[in-house]
Amino acid sequence: EFFEHFALVYSRLDVDAVTQLFHIHFFSLVNDDRNDFPELAPLYEVTRTLFAWYQAQGFHDAHYSILSIVELSSELATAKLRWHVTRSDGSPWEYSTSYHLNRSSGEWKIAGVIQFDEVATHDTSPSQRADPLSPLLVVAEEALRDVITLPAAS
């Protein structure tokens, strides 16, 4: 299954393998901020930076449960997953992510990722540990606001 493979490479924070699963044109919607990636190179660099930050937070051992999958057509689908991540110190980090999928050359690819913070705003200074209820991408993009360059919405 697509998400079994994705979870394996995501859990390893394997930038090359994860970005191979992205469909270009790709978008991210994190809280109210939409970013479009019409090319792979900037998306690859953002993913590399995010994964380095995840690793610094002790991210490893990611597992998921499927909350919903809707096949909109033979070429389009949407899925919502609940991620369960164990950090190096054993503490959990759980969050939900929605994915928009396109079938490209017979293979599913991730065309978009959506995360919304489901709890109050948190202190995301580099020394602050993220709340386990905050979506990882929400916390990472806030913490890396001055580090990564995200493209403007189209």
Side-chain angles (χ1 to χ4, degrees):
E1 176 187 291
F2 175 82
F3 282 113
E4 288 176 7
H5 176 66
F6 176 68
L8 178 67
V9 296
Y10 177 58
S11 188
R12 292 191 321 234
L13 299 176
D14 184 335
V15 177
D16 291 330
V18 167
T19 55
Q20 287 177 7
L21 299 175
F22 290 159
H23 180 270
I24 301 299
H25 194 115
F26 180 93
F27 76 91
S28 66
L29 181 60
V30 179
N31 284 337
D32 292 328
D33 296 324
R34 179 183 168 115
N35 296 289
D36 291 288
F37 296 87
E39 298 175 357
L40 182 58
L43 178 57
Y44 183 92
E45 285 306 311
V46 168
T47 303
R48 186 183 59 74
T49 302
L50 288 171
F51 283 10
W53 187 85
Y54 294 177
Q55 186 173 33
Q57 304 309 304
F59 176 107
H60 74 93
D61 197 26
H63 299 281
Y64 68 94
S65 53
I66 296 173
L67 300 178
S68 66
I69 293 182
V70 177
E71 191 167 333
L72 303 170
S73 73
S74 62
E75 303 295 317
L76 297 170
T78 185
K80 185 173 183 180
L81 274 56
R82 183 77 178 159
W83 287 99
H84 311 275
V85 174
T86 303
R87 292 186 257 184
S88 298
D89 66 2
S91 63
W93 200 337
E94 297 185 6
Y95 52 93
S96 297
T97 305
S98 292
Y99 297 91
H100 289 273
L101 306 169
N102 283 14
R103 193 183 307 265
S104 178
S105 301
E107 295 182 14
W108 288 108
K109 301 278 187 170
I110 299 171
V113 175
I114 300 174
Q115 281 190 351
F116 287 89
D117 201 345
E118 300 170 305
V119 294
T121 304
H122 304 281
D123 175 6
T124 55
S125 62
S127 63
Q128 178 68 32
R129 175 166 297 220
D131 187 309
L133 298 177
S134 293
L136 188 58
L137 194 54
V138 170
V139 176
E141 285 197 5
E142 180 65 27
L144 297 170
R145 181 180 306 237
D146 298 327
V147 177
I148 58 176
T149 303
L150 295 169
S154 58

